[in-house]
């Protein structure tokens, strides 16, 4: 881990003064509202929509066993693969499979047909072959599709287009009639095979909605989604702006992984959990790679393997997943299982900070502040601290409070300093607890309050800040019996 640069600025401690550039008053971040009395226990434990003609369906190679679009072609033929991944067909089909073919011919591979007239209308020339599937069931094109395939694909598309069971199931679910919703979701799945229906069934069985909780049934329905045939064109598209957005399939897969990882209703099985995390990553859900990195970095029932962890973190980090970028920064900064490389660490931390990762913002600010690897630049440090503080990063909030307290290169504002120290203290930052206690003792930035000063010093001590111990003892000697009782009530609240 990076060395944390602790800031203690008040008169009763050694002063670490952070230089910062002037900031216009209107640019100052307002401190969030906090409760003046801490919760002691909480403080210490801490796609683009595509318009489609729903009557039209592009025949899929899997819609009939005789459809063999890829037969005879190398799977590494880029043109063929690209066309297949996009929509099984397109202009390339004509050139490769049926030179000079007519796109209106329903048997042409990749042809688009309408389920209301899959074999053409009466006005079309069907080569005298009739218009029912039975007329040419054995006829195939070079791609392998028969009229039976056309009929199957068209029939399913027609059912899908007219089906209302999934919508009805969600309406009933929202109304609170869970037993009926359970019935409708199962009917919807049996009729069409909606992933959404299976996933809802899984969640309802896991939560005990509409039926007694049944983890086994929940897992059964999750696997219906997670183990369904995977179409490469359905690979997850990672969006750094919404990194945890996921499809129903990814959601089901990650839910399975979580169940086995935590032992939620089943024996805990990290190996099975890893299998599902790998599955989620294989379909493009990038955060799963980060979790796999954590598993190998921390040795979660596997040997610690930093090299494997780095590989997973790098895969996710290259997509712009900031938690992985941050972890890589920490690993290279400390030389954790790899040669120390501060410059590489700074690059990964800068990348994570650019993506808004709160801890990375703080660490980059700290590096600029100290001239650690990055050039010393107090103005840049303040910018990073401010951004991290606004994202609720406790150490950065403490640093920002320090600027307001010291008044160096910022207008001195004890009221604002006290507010930010309180925010950071409530977020579990021990130095902020200490600093806030000193301000409460001295009546700086607000009224004097020895009781709360003692409470915050004890919480800082409980959080591991050794210097708080002696000061807490001094404050305790100044408290009346009534004040000490009030402090004890805050530190040891009566269970509700």
């Amino acid at each position: 881990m990076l060395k944390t640069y602790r800031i203690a600025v008040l008169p009763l401690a050694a002063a670490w003064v952070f230089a910062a550039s002037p900031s216009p008053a209107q640019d100052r971040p307002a401190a969030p509202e906090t409760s003046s009395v801490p919760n002691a226990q909480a403080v210490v434990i801490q796609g683009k929509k595509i318009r489609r003609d729903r009557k039209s369906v592009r025949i899929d190679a899997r819609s009939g066993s005789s459809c063999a679009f890829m037969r005879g072609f190398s799977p590494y033929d880029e043109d063929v693969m690209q066309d297949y991944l996009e929509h099984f067909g397109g202009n390339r089909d004509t050139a490769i499979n049926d030179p000079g073919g007519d796109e209106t011919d329903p048997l042409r591979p990749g042809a688009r047909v309408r389920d209301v007239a899959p074999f053409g209308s009466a006005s079309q020339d069907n080569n005298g072959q009739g218009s029912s599937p039975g007329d040419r069931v054995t006829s195939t094109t070079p791609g392998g599709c028969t009229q039976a395939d056309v009929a199957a694909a068209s029939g399913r598309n027609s059912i899908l287009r007219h089906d209302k069971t999934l919508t009805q199931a969600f309406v009933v679910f929202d109304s609170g009639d869970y037993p009926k919703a359970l019935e409708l979701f199962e009917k919807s799945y049996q009729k069409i095979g909606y992933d959404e229906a299976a996933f809802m069934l899984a969640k309802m069985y896991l939560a005990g909605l509409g039926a007694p909780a049944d983890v086994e049934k929940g897992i059964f329905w999750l696997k219906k989604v997670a183990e369904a045939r995977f179409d490469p064109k359905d690979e997850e598209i990672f969006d750094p702006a919404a990194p945890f957005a996921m499809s129903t399939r990814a959601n089901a897969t990650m839910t399975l992984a979580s169940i086995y990882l935590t032992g939620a209703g089943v024996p805990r099985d990290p190996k099975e959990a890893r299998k599902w995390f790998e599955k989620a990553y294989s379909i493009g859900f990038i955060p799963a790679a980060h979790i796999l990195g954590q598993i190998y970095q921390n040795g979660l029932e596997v040997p610690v393997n930093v090299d494997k962890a780095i590989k997973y973190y790098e895969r996710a980090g290259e997509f712009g997943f900031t938690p992985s970028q941050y972890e890589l920064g920490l690993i290279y900064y400390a030389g954790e299982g790899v040669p120390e490389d501060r410059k590489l660490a700074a690059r990964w931390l800068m990348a994570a900070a650019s993506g808004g990762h709160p801890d990375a913002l703080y660490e980059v600010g700290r590096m600029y502040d100290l001239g650690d690897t990055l050039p010393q630049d107090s103005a840049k440090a303040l910018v990073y601290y401010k951004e991290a503080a606004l994202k609720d990063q406790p150490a950065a909030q403490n640093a920002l409070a320090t600027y307001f307290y010291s008044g160096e290169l910022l207008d001195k504002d004890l009221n604002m300093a006290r507010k930010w120290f309180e925010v950071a203290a409530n977020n579990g930052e021990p130095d902020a607890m200490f600093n806030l206690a000193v301000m409460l003792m001295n009546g700086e930035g607000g009224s004097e309050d020895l009781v709360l000063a003692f409470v915050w010093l004890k919480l800082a001590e409980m959080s591991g800040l050794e210097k708080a111990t002696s000061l807490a003892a001094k404050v305790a000697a100044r408290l009346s019996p009534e004040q000490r009782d009030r402090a004890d009530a805050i530190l040891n609240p009566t269970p509700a």
Side-chain angles (χ1 to χ4, degrees):
M1 297 290 289
L2 269 66
K3 179 181 177 182
T4 304
Y5 188 57
R6 299 294 190 186
I7 309 163
V9 298
L10 308 187
L12 292 173
W16 294 94
V17 180
F18 273 2
S21 61
S23 177
Q26 62 268 27
D27 290 339
R28 292 180 179 180
E33 293 296 324
T34 61
S35 170
S36 58
V37 179
N39 180 331
Q41 188 176 24
V43 166
V44 176
I45 302 175
Q46 301 267 38
K48 179 181 177 182
K49 293 185 178 180
I50 303 172
R51 295 182 62 189
R52 293 186 178 91
D53 172 9
R54 292 298 297 174
K55 294 182 181 181
S56 297
V57 56
R58 188 173 289 279
I59 304 169
D60 192 297
R62 296 161 304 177
S63 64
S65 60
S66 62
C67 265
F69 172 73
M70 297 301 293
R71 185 180 297 154
F73 296 98
S74 166
Y76 302 104
D77 184 313
E78 183 178 347
D79 286 344
V80 175
M81 280 300 292
Q82 185 61 41
D83 203 276
Y84 180 74
L85 296 182
E86 289 177 354
H87 44 54
F88 187 77
N91 294 332
R92 293 194 189 101
D93 299 348
T94 306
I96 297 172
N97 290 323
D98 191 13
D102 181 359
E103 189 176 14
T104 61
D105 178 0
L107 297 184
R108 190 187 69 77
R112 187 174 294 282
V113 298
R114 289 173 64 81
D115 61 47
V116 292
F119 301 101
S121 66
S123 63
Q124 291 177 314
D125 179 8
N126 286 312
N127 300 318
Q129 298 296 325
S131 58
S132 66
D135 289 336
R136 286 196 297 170
V137 292
T138 59
S139 175
T140 63
T141 66
C145 294
T146 70
Q147 281 192 326
D149 298 318
V150 173
S154 299
R156 187 180 188 284
N157 191 70
S158 181
I159 293 171
L160 180 63
R161 183 161 57 86
H162 293 95
D163 181 63
K164 299 292 188 295
T165 54
L166 185 62
T167 302
Q168 291 168 354
F170 276 111
V171 169
V172 173
F173 180 87
D174 289 340
S175 75
D177 187 351
Y178 300 128
K180 182 64 175 177
L182 201 67
E183 176 187 328
L184 287 173
F185 280 125
E186 185 158 0
K187 179 180 177 182
S188 177
Y189 182 81
Q190 300 299 345
K191 186 176 181 181
I192 298 295
Y194 292 114
D195 283 351
E196 294 87 347
F199 189 55
M200 285 300 296
L201 286 164
K203 291 198 294 184
M204 291 179 75
Y205 278 117
L206 291 172
L209 295 176
D214 190 326
V215 176
E216 187 176 335
K217 283 187 177 179
I219 290 174
F220 169 83
W221 285 108
L222 288 172
K223 288 183 177 180
K224 283 287 189 183
V225 182
E227 293 179 337
R229 187 190 295 269
F230 178 62
D231 192 330
K233 73 174 185 294
D234 294 328
E235 184 177 19
E236 301 283 310
I237 304 299
F238 180 73
D239 180 3
F244 296 100
M246 63 178 79
S247 67
T248 303
R249 185 189 186 96
N251 205 337
T253 308
M254 290 295 289
T255 302
L256 281 166
S258 299
I259 286 173
Y260 287 110
L261 185 69
T262 61
V266 297
R268 192 166 167 275
D269 190 341
K271 183 177 180 180
E272 185 72 6
R274 287 198 307 276
K275 182 187 87 171
W276 292 108
F277 284 129
E278 288 279 8
K279 178 100 172 172
Y281 172 60
S282 74
I283 64 173
F285 186 62
I286 297 303
H290 179 76
I291 295 173
L292 288 162
Q294 291 179 305
I295 286 172
Y296 284 104
Q297 183 183 13
N298 298 311
L300 181 59
E301 299 195 30
V302 294
V304 171
N305 191 324
V306 177
D307 287 338
K308 272 192 175 181
I310 287 174
K311 286 179 182 178
Y312 280 114
Y313 286 146
E314 285 180 341
R315 292 170 190 173
E318 287 163 0
F319 276 90
F321 190 62
T322 58
S324 289
Q325 295 171 334
Y326 175 69
E327 289 298 333
L328 285 165
L330 298 186
I331 288 171
Y332 284 112
Y333 187 96
E336 182 185 336
V338 293
E340 180 184 300
D341 190 335
R342 295 286 178 92
K343 289 185 178 180
L344 183 56
R347 287 202 292 272
W348 280 116
L349 289 170
M350 291 282 283
S354 297
H357 191 282
D359 293 330
L361 284 164
Y362 169 73
E363 295 298 351
V364 172
R366 186 197 63 80
M367 293 172 87
Y368 273 123
D369 203 359
L370 302 179
D372 177 2
T373 309
L374 299 174
Q376 200 286 326
D377 190 324
S378 299
K380 284 186 178 179
L382 180 57
V383 170
Y384 281 97
Y385 285 148
K386 174 182 171 182
E387 289 303 312
L390 291 173
K391 290 179 177 290
D392 223 24
Q393 210 285 340
Q397 291 168 338
N398 185 56
L400 189 61
T402 304
Y403 281 109
F404 284 118
Y405 184 89
S406 68
E408 292 197 18
L409 301 178
L410 274 178
D411 292 335
K412 190 178 181 77
D413 189 333
L414 294 181
N415 180 266
M416 186 65 76
R418 182 157 157 172
K419 285 184 177 180
W420 275 110
F421 279 136
E422 185 178 354
V423 171
N426 275 292
N427 280 335
E429 174 57 43
D431 279 317
M433 298 176 198
F434 184 93
N435 292 339
L436 176 60
V438 173
M439 294 192 78
L440 287 163
M441 286 173 55
N442 298 334
E444 295 177 293
S447 59
E448 177 185 305
D449 192 327
L450 289 179
V451 172
L452 284 181
F454 175 74
V455 167
W456 280 116
L457 287 167
K458 292 301 290 183
L459 291 174
E461 180 185 352
M462 292 163 64
S463 298
L465 194 66
E466 293 181 5
K467 66 182 178 183
T469 303
S470 59
L471 186 57
K474 292 178 182 178
V475 175
R478 298 171 57 185
L479 297 178
S480 68
E482 293 79 9
Q483 288 176 317
R484 185 58 186 261
D485 287 344
R486 188 155 65 91
D488 287 342
I490 296 172
L491 290 168
N492 304 290
T494 304

